[in-house]
Amino acid sequence: VLYKENIGKATPTPVTPEMERVKRNQEIISSVLYKENVGKVTPTPITPEMERVKRNQEIISSVLYKENLGQATPTPVTPEMERVKRNQEHISSVVYKEGLGKATPTPVTPEMERVKRNQEHISSVVYKEGLGKATPTPVTPEMERVKRNQEHISSVLYKEHLAKGTPTPMTPEMERAKRNQENISSVLYSDSFRKQVQGKAAYVLDTPEMRRVRETQKHISTVKYHEDFEKSKGSFTPVVTDPITERVKKNMQDFSDISYRGIQRRVVEMERKRVDQDQENLTG
């Protein structure tokens, strides 16, 4: 206040281009002098203590930030806000993928698999060690009834909270992605089945009851077979006659006639007589 009282009346002067130029030059000169005065520094490694202090500082800053927040008025989430949020997530995903550089994939070695399994076992053991002793309680009919009622109430409340949705058309790209996902799932399932089930036999005890059932099943199958045979006896199954079947049938009939009538034997005898006659003509 005293400082302002001692200041008299002043005449404002317009900011000319020359004054702008001098101001920019002064800023550049100040920046250059600042950098010249900065000497050489020695980089210090980040120690675990520095990491701990940094994390504590972040936690303290988060707590202070939350304490300084005042009371706010909640605003309802409108469909427009949901649409903007989804678009922002898509844009962030695209920008994130664009910023990723090339990576070198590393194979999963047996040692890595072993360490992973050991870690899962250790986590399971530590989790179970942290559990205290509990007293098992029997499941009474009243508890079953309350459980079913609670499931019905949850289902009703879930359906009541569902808002109206906007259907999206199924594009060819979505169909293609869906089919690819099904194929990948089928391949993974087949690989898992082949590794775990295929080629392994299921052992079943051969008890007297199993043997009795097996013998009974055999008798039932035999009776059923004879019953079907008696029903089909004397009947025939019509077969479509095509040119190939006709040709095969005619050839088979010709072979049968030759064998039955002895034509083949007579042809051989006539051939032998012709050869003998040719020999006599040559010698005579």
Side-chain angles (χ1 to χ4, degrees):
V1 174
L2 295 176
Y3 172 74
K4 293 182 179 179
E5 287 179 354
N6 294 330
I7 295 176
K9 295 182 180 181
T11 304
T13 58
V15 180
T16 61
E18 182 65 19
M19 294 175 66
E20 289 286 344
R21 185 181 64 80
V22 172
K23 184 178 179 182
R24 284 197 301 271
N25 291 338
Q26 190 63 36
E27 290 175 354
I28 294 171
I29 293 169
S30 299
S31 176
V32 172
L33 293 176
Y34 172 77
K35 292 181 180 179
E36 287 179 354
N37 293 330
V38 175
K40 295 181 179 180
V41 296
T42 303
T44 57
I46 298 177
T47 61
E49 182 65 19
M50 293 173 67
E51 289 286 342
R52 185 182 64 81
V53 172
K54 183 179 177 182
R55 284 197 301 272
N56 291 340
Q57 190 62 34
E58 291 175 353
I59 294 170
I60 293 170
S61 299
S62 176
V63 172
L64 294 176
Y65 172 76
K66 292 180 180 179
E67 288 180 354
N68 292 331
L69 289 177
Q71 295 181 354
T73 304
T75 57
V77 179
T78 61
E80 182 66 18
M81 294 173 66
E82 289 285 342
R83 185 182 64 79
V84 173
K85 183 179 177 182
R86 285 196 300 271
N87 292 340
Q88 190 63 33
E89 291 175 355
H90 295 328
I91 294 170
S92 301
S93 176
V94 172
V95 173
Y96 171 74
K97 293 180 179 178
E98 289 179 353
L100 291 177
K102 294 182 179 180
T104 304
T106 57
V108 180
T109 60
E111 181 67 17
M112 294 173 67
E113 289 286 343
R114 185 182 64 79
V115 172
K116 183 178 178 182
R117 286 196 300 271
N118 291 341
Q119 191 62 34
E120 292 175 355
H121 295 330
I122 292 169
S123 300
S124 177
V125 171
V126 173
Y127 172 74
K128 292 180 180 179
E129 287 180 353
L131 294 177
K133 294 183 179 179
T135 304
T137 56
V139 180
T140 61
E142 181 65 18
M143 293 173 67
E144 289 287 342
R145 185 183 63 80
V146 172
K147 183 179 178 181
R148 283 196 301 272
N149 291 341
Q150 190 63 34
E151 290 176 354
H152 296 328
I153 293 170
S154 300
S155 177
V156 171
L157 293 177
Y158 172 75
K159 293 180 179 178
E160 287 180 354
H161 292 156
L162 287 178
K164 294 182 179 179
T166 304
T168 58
M170 186 68 70
T171 61
E173 182 66 18
M174 295 172 67
E175 288 286 344
R176 185 183 64 79
K178 182 179 178 182
R179 285 197 301 271
N180 291 341
Q181 190 62 34
E182 291 176 353
N183 294 334
I184 293 170
S185 300
S186 177
V187 170
L188 294 177
Y189 173 77
S190 299
D191 290 343
S192 177
F193 174 78
R194 225 175 2 255
K195 292 178 181 178
Q196 298 179 6
V197 180
Q198 192 174 10
K200 297 182 180 179
Y203 297 98
V204 181
L205 297 177
D206 191 8
T207 59
E209 182 66 19
M210 294 282 290
R211 287 196 292 272
R212 184 184 65 79
V213 172
R214 189 164 60 246
E215 291 295 331
T216 304
Q217 192 64 34
K218 287 181 181 178
H219 295 327
I220 294 172
S221 300
T222 304
V223 172
K224 183 67 175 174
Y225 171 76
H226 284 291
E227 182 180 353
D228 294 339
F229 176 75
E230 293 295 333
K231 288 182 179 179
S232 62
K233 190 191 301 184
S235 61
F236 63 92
T237 303
V239 180
V240 179
T241 304
D242 53 350
I244 297 177
T245 307
E246 288 289 340
R247 184 176 60 80
V248 173
K249 183 178 179 182
K250 187 175 183 302
N251 292 338
M252 291 300 296
Q253 188 173 0
D254 293 340
F255 288 136
S256 298
D257 290 343
I258 291 171
S259 300
Y260 177 74
R261 297 177 183 177
I263 296 176
Q264 183 69 25
R265 186 173 62 255
R266 289 166 56 187
V267 169
V268 173
E269 291 177 357
M270 291 175 65
E271 184 66 23
R272 188 171 61 252
K273 289 180 181 180
R274 187 180 63 79
V275 172
D276 294 340
Q277 188 175 3
D278 292 339
Q279 290 290 337
E280 290 178 357
N281 293 332
L282 290 174
T283 56

